Amino acid sequence: MRMHRTVAIIVLNWNGADDTITCVQSLQRLTYPTIRIYIVDNHSSGDDVLRFREQFGDTVTIVENSNNEGYAGGNNRGLSYARNEQDYDYYWILNNDTRVMPDALSAMVTVAETGHCGLVGSHINYWESEDTYCEIGGRYNKWTGIDRLHHNRLQTEQLDYISGCSLLISRKAYQETKGFDKRFFLYNEEVDLCLRAQQQGIRLGRAFDSRVEHHSAKTTGYFSNTYFYYFLRNKILLFKKHSRWYHYPSFILAYLFYYCAGMTLRYTLKNKKFPVHLLYRVAHDVFHQRWSKQRV
C-alpha cells in the first residue's frame, strides 16, 4: 500500500463557530500528515468566518457560501472546491460538532486502502459520555423505509449506509456518485449516497479504530420545526428513490404508525406542542415535488 494518500477534510459550519473551532483544533492534532482542512461556512448570520480567520489564519481554507445550502449542498460545495484546488485521493466529511482522536484518519485510510472501499465510517461516541452513538453506520429497510444506526460491532456484518457524521469517500466514489443529492437539504442524504454507491459496486468499509466524539442533533434539535419537516419529508424522498411499487403498502403503514404516530408520542411525552400544520406541509410539498430547501 502506498502510504499517505492525500485527504481533504470538509467541515461544514452554520452558526456553530465554537464547535467548529474545537473540531478543527482536534483535526490539527491528527497524526496523518498529508491533509488540508476546509471549513465551509453555510452563510452564518454572525462573525463565524472572521473568528475562523483570526483563529487559524491560512492553515485552513475557508469557503463561504452565499446561501445556506444545507448539509447536502454545503458539503457538495466543499467537495467541489477542494477537488478544483487539488485532485485529492480521499475526502473526509466531518460534522462540525465533533472531536476526533489523533489516529482517527489513519485508521480510515488504512481500511479504505486494504479493503478497496470507496466509503469508510468511524466508531462514534457521544461527546458527553462513553455511550456509543453508532458503530460506523446502519441498515435501511426498503419495505418500511426505516433506517437504524448500529450501536454495537456485532450488528455491522450487514451495512447499508455509513453515518454522515464521519464519512471518508474516495476520489473514485465521489466521481461516480457526484456527491450528495441536494434535494434532501437536511437528513437522509448519507443513506441515499451510500445506497447509490453500492448500486455502482462501491464497497462500504468499517474503521472501528477510528474514534470520533459527537454532539447529537445540536444544529436543529429533535423538537424543532426544521427537524420535523425535513425528517418526515425526506423519508418519502429516500423511499421514492430506492424502492419499487410493491414496497408501497408496507411503507405507508410504517410511515404513518412508526414515524408520524411515533413523533406524535415523542412530542406528547416531552409536553411539546405538536406541529400538526407541518404534516399538511409535508404532504403538500411531496405531492408537488417540492424538495431541496423550503421555508419552514
Side-chain angles (χ1 to χ4, degrees):
M1 177 183 69
R2 179 167 69 89
M3 297 301 291
H4 301 153
R5 301 283 193 178
T6 55
V7 181
I9 305 175
I10 313 296
V11 180
L12 185 64
N13 175 77
W14 182 67
N15 297 325
D18 290 338
D19 280 340
T20 299
I21 289 171
T22 299
C23 174
V24 172
Q25 286 173 336
S26 73
L27 289 171
Q28 292 178 324
R29 294 190 289 270
L30 287 169
T31 58
Y32 196 88
T34 50
I35 65 170
R36 181 66 181 176
I37 301 169
Y38 293 81
I39 299 176
V40 182
D41 186 74
N42 233 352
H43 198 57
S44 296
S45 58
D47 61 350
D48 292 30
V49 172
L50 176 62
R51 292 182 60 189
F52 299 148
R53 291 200 173 108
E54 292 175 345
Q55 180 75 36
F56 302 115
D58 60 0
T59 62
V60 305
T61 299
I62 300 173
V63 182
E64 296 184 68
N65 287 340
S66 57
N67 296 290
N68 180 0
E69 300 179 12
Y71 177 93
N75 277 306
N76 280 349
R77 168 78 166 137
L79 289 164
S80 175
Y81 191 98
R83 184 185 180 191
N84 288 336
E85 281 207 330
Q86 180 178 330
D87 201 13
Y88 290 96
D89 296 305
Y90 292 96
Y91 303 86
W92 187 13
I93 297 164
L94 189 68
N95 276 19
N96 73 314
D97 54 349
T98 58
R99 296 181 297 200
V100 305
M101 300 301 104
D103 59 351
L105 179 56
S106 299
M108 297 178 85
V109 173
T110 297
V111 169
E113 290 286 294
T114 58
H116 304 289
C117 300
L119 295 160
V120 179
S122 302
H123 174 112
I124 304 168
N125 283 342
Y126 286 106
W127 189 311
E128 302 84 355
S129 69
E130 293 298 318
D131 295 336
T132 298
Y133 172 75
C134 80
E135 281 277 11
I136 313 301
R139 299 296 308 278
Y140 175 71
N141 189 317
K142 292 183 179 180
W143 289 92
T144 62
I146 295 173
D147 58 274
R148 292 179 181 275
L149 288 171
H150 292 321
H151 298 291
N152 66 73
R153 189 172 302 192
L154 295 177
Q155 294 177 310
T156 60
E157 290 303 315
Q158 292 180 305
L159 192 65
D160 293 324
Y161 71 95
I162 291 168
S163 170
C165 175
S166 172
L167 190 157
L168 186 75
I169 180 169
S170 71
R171 179 200 305 150
K172 179 182 178 182
Y174 171 50
Q175 290 172 341
E176 294 189 5
T177 60
K178 310 299 183 186
F180 297 103
D181 182 343
K182 66 180 182 181
R183 291 181 298 170
F184 284 92
F185 190 73
L186 284 174
Y187 307 123
N188 283 126
E189 56 277 288
E190 80 274 33
V191 183
D192 170 65
L193 173 69
C194 291
L195 293 176
R196 287 190 287 114
Q198 290 175 97
Q199 289 168 3
Q200 298 180 57
I202 297 169
R203 299 181 62 185
L204 307 187
R206 309 160 176 84
F208 295 113
D209 293 328
S210 174
R211 299 283 172 156
V212 172
E213 295 177 338
H214 175 48
H215 274 311
S216 180
K218 280 197 69 176
T219 303
T220 58
Y222 285 123
F223 296 99
S224 71
N225 284 356
T226 299
Y227 175 83
F228 185 96
Y229 172 80
Y230 286 109
F231 181 85
L232 288 180
R233 190 200 68 177
N234 288 352
K235 291 298 179 186
I236 298 175
L237 176 57
L238 184 68
F239 176 80
K240 284 170 63 68
K241 289 190 67 174
H242 296 283
S243 296
R244 304 289 295 275
W245 63 267
Y246 47 79
H247 294 126
Y248 272 82
S250 56
F251 170 75
I252 292 171
L253 289 173
Y255 186 84
L256 291 175
F257 289 99
Y258 185 83
Y259 284 122
C260 294
M263 293 189 81
T264 303
L265 179 61
R266 179 187 290 181
Y267 272 77
T268 301
L269 293 175
K270 292 293 184 178
N271 294 316
K272 301 284 186 177
K273 184 178 180 180
F274 185 72
V276 178
H277 66 288
L278 287 180
L279 287 176
Y280 167 78
R281 176 68 185 277
V282 168
H284 177 271
D285 287 354
V286 168
F287 180 79
H288 291 283
Q289 301 292 296
R290 296 179 63 185
W291 310 111
S292 301
K293 183 179 181 179
Q294 301 295 330
R295 179 172 294 185
V296 180

